[in-house]
């Protein structure tokens, strides 16, 4: 079963959830009137206007937009892709550290996980090669804004990964670009690299709001057919009321300005914490996205120590397979002045833990 996050103690600043700053989320623009539907939407599951916006969204970053469809969020989409592509017992290559909900989802589907180490430029080529040699039939990765480490592909890393994948044309490569609008990093997507089997998933939850359970999927023709066929058997389509809300909100000029401000603010806040931790000699990772990953020797000592000083951060155990211990700090609401205080408290906690636990 899925692991729910621990309850945040009262009076403690929550920096554990990975959520955006509500100040940068727009007011949603649902339709004023919803007329009754005659029959179903199975014959026309996508609103033409939103499909056009989705195609332009992918094409802007060089992702092929010839085959596009929708789903009920990123995890819904990835679950469907993996379940129609693989059979129980097959292996999926996943990032380590990686998105904790995905690490719960893969075994729930009856699949095995092969961990692929990541760094500030995303998944590492040699680690990926090892997972593919061991028989992984699919790869799920993030091209930027990687959670929890914040890695983002560079042009060089993208080329190295495509070279590795070129020897395994049958492997389905699924990119989770959930932070596309606010990652603070350019797109160097594997999806634009001419792969035979590929998919890229994008959502609006982080920059438009969590109630918009909608994802756009661009993929190869075989992947599209399998995804569409399975969706027709289950939910059939994404609610047209939801689709119209997404379309109206994405098209709003004020919303576009707000999202642009959000990306700048998130970059400044993330960089500020990495910088302030560095002042105290504490190494941290956060090249893009909403989080900073800080390696530590004792996760519990750091989480509990920071809680006693008014900060709630996430223990790295939820995100790790074989990666060494660390904590994840969400910086979306952490302004620069707060970063100075948090970094000082972090250094104090590390000093206390070394004295108490021997490092």
């Amino acid at each position: 079963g899925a692991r729910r996050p621990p309850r945040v103690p009262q009076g403690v600043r929550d920096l554990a959830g990975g959520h955006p700053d509500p100040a940068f989320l727009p007011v949603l623009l649902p339709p004023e009137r919803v007329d009754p539907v005659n029959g179903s939407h199975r014959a026309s599951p996508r609103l033409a206007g939103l499909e056009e916006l989705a195609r332009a969204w992918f094409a802007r970053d060089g992702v092929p937009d010839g085959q596009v469809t929708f789903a009920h969020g990123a995890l819904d989409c990835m679950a469907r892709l993996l379940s129609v592509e693989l059979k129980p017992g097959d292996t999926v290559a996943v990032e380590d550290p990686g998105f904790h909900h995905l690490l719960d989802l893969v075994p729930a589907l009856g699949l095995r996980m092969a961990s692929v180490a990541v760094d500030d430029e995303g998944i590492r080529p040699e680690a990926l090669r090892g997972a593919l040699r061991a028989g992984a039939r699919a790869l799920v990765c993030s091209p930027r804004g990687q959670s929890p480490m914040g890695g983002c592909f560079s042009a060089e890393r993208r080329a190295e990964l495509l070279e590795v994948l070129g020897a395994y044309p049958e492997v389905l490569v699924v990119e989770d670009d959930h932070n596309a609008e606010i990652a603070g990093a350019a797109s160097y997507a594997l999806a634009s690299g001419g792969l035979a089997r590929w998919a890229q998933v994008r959502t609006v939850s982080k920059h438009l709001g969590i109630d918009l359970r909608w994802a756009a999927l661009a993929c190869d023709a075989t992947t599209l057919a399998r995804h569409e066929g399975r969706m027709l058997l289950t939910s059939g389509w994404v609610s047209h009321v939801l689709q119209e809300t997404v379309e109206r909100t994405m098209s709003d000029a004020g919303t576009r300005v707000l999202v642009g401000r959000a990306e700048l603010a998130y970059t400044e806040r993330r960089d500020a914490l990495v910088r302030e931790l560095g002042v105290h000699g504490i190494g941290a990772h956060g090249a893009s996205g909403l989080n900073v990953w800080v390696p530590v020797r004792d996760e519990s000592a750091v989480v509990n120590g920071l809680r006693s000083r008014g900060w709630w951060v996430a223990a790295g155990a939820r995100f790790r397979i074989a990666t060494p211990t660390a904590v994840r700090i969400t910086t979306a609401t952490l302004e620069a002045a707060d970063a100075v205080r948090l970094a000082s408290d972090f250094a104090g906690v590390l000093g206390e833990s070394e004295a108490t636990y021997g490092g």
Side-chain angles (χ1 to χ4, degrees), residues 57-58 69-77 201-204 212-217 238:
W57 194 15
F58 286 115
T69 191
F70 302 158
H72 301 90
L75 283 168
D76 171 75
C77 186
V201 185
R202 293 188 176 189
T203 68
V204 295
L212 296 177
R213 307 308 302 159
W214 175 84
L217 168 67
V238 176

Side-chain angles (χ1 to χ4, degrees), residues 16-283:
H19 307 305
D21 186 343
F24 291 115
L25 295 176
V27 174
L28 300 181
L29 303 171
E32 298 176 1
R33 173 188 173 93
V34 181
D35 293 324
V37 175
N38 180 18
S40 77
H41 291 307
R42 289 183 185 273
S44 54
R46 295 178 295 280
L47 292 182
L50 184 55
E51 184 170 349
E52 183 178 345
L53 285 174
R55 291 183 191 279
W57 194 15
F58 286 115
R60 180 197 68 185
D61 293 322
V63 177
D65 64 338
Q67 311 283 346
V68 171
T69 191
F70 302 158
H72 301 90
L75 283 168
D76 171 75
C77 186
M78 289 187 285
R80 192 171 294 108
L81 292 174
L82 294 175
S83 65
V84 298
E85 186 69 26
L86 308 180
K87 63 182 185 300
D90 283 345
T91 300
V92 181
V94 297
E95 296 165 325
D96 184 14
F99 184 34
H100 56 297
H101 291 307
L102 180 69
L103 301 187
D104 290 337
L105 172 63
V106 171
L109 295 174
L111 303 172
R112 302 176 186 274
M113 292 189 292
S115 65
V116 178
V118 300
D119 58 24
D120 292 334
E121 294 183 75
I123 55 175
R124 295 166 56 180
E126 285 307 312
L128 175 60
R129 182 177 283 111
L132 296 177
R133 283 176 175 169
R137 294 193 54 212
L139 162 69
V140 180
C141 62
S142 296
R144 52 185 166 178
Q146 192 267 353
S147 180
M149 200 168 182
C152 51
F153 292 162
S154 63
E156 294 76 15
R157 175 60 58 84
R158 174 182 175 273
E160 292 170 344
L161 293 173
L162 288 172
E163 182 179 358
V164 172
L165 290 165
Y168 300 89
E170 72 286 356
V171 169
L172 175 63
V173 177
V174 180
E175 287 188 298
D176 178 12
D177 197 9
H178 64 284
N179 271 326
E181 295 305 283
I182 54 171
S187 173
Y188 294 102
L190 299 174
S192 57
L195 297 170
R197 300 299 315 283
W198 64 275
Q200 187 178 102
V201 185
R202 293 188 176 189
T203 68
V204 295
S205 299
K206 298 296 188 185
H207 69 281
L208 296 185
I210 61 171
D211 276 324
L212 296 177
R213 307 308 302 159
W214 175 84
L217 168 67
C219 55
D220 67 87
T222 299
T223 301
L224 179 78
R226 291 176 177 172
H227 178 277
E228 294 286 84
R230 178 59 59 86
M231 193 162 186
L232 281 170
L233 291 173
T234 54
S235 58
W237 66 89
V238 176
S239 160
H240 279 205
V241 176
L242 176 60
Q243 289 189 46
E244 187 171 342
T245 303
V246 175
E247 181 183 350
R248 288 160 64 95
T249 308
M250 285 181 72
S251 303
D252 180 68
T255 295
R256 289 196 293 268
V257 172
L258 184 63
V259 171
R261 287 172 47 207
E263 183 174 34
L264 291 174
Y266 293 148
T267 298
E268 291 170 357
R269 294 171 184 182
R270 186 182 64 249
D271 290 349
L273 181 58
V274 172
R275 182 176 62 251
E276 294 301 329
L277 288 170
V279 168
H280 295 277
I282 302 170

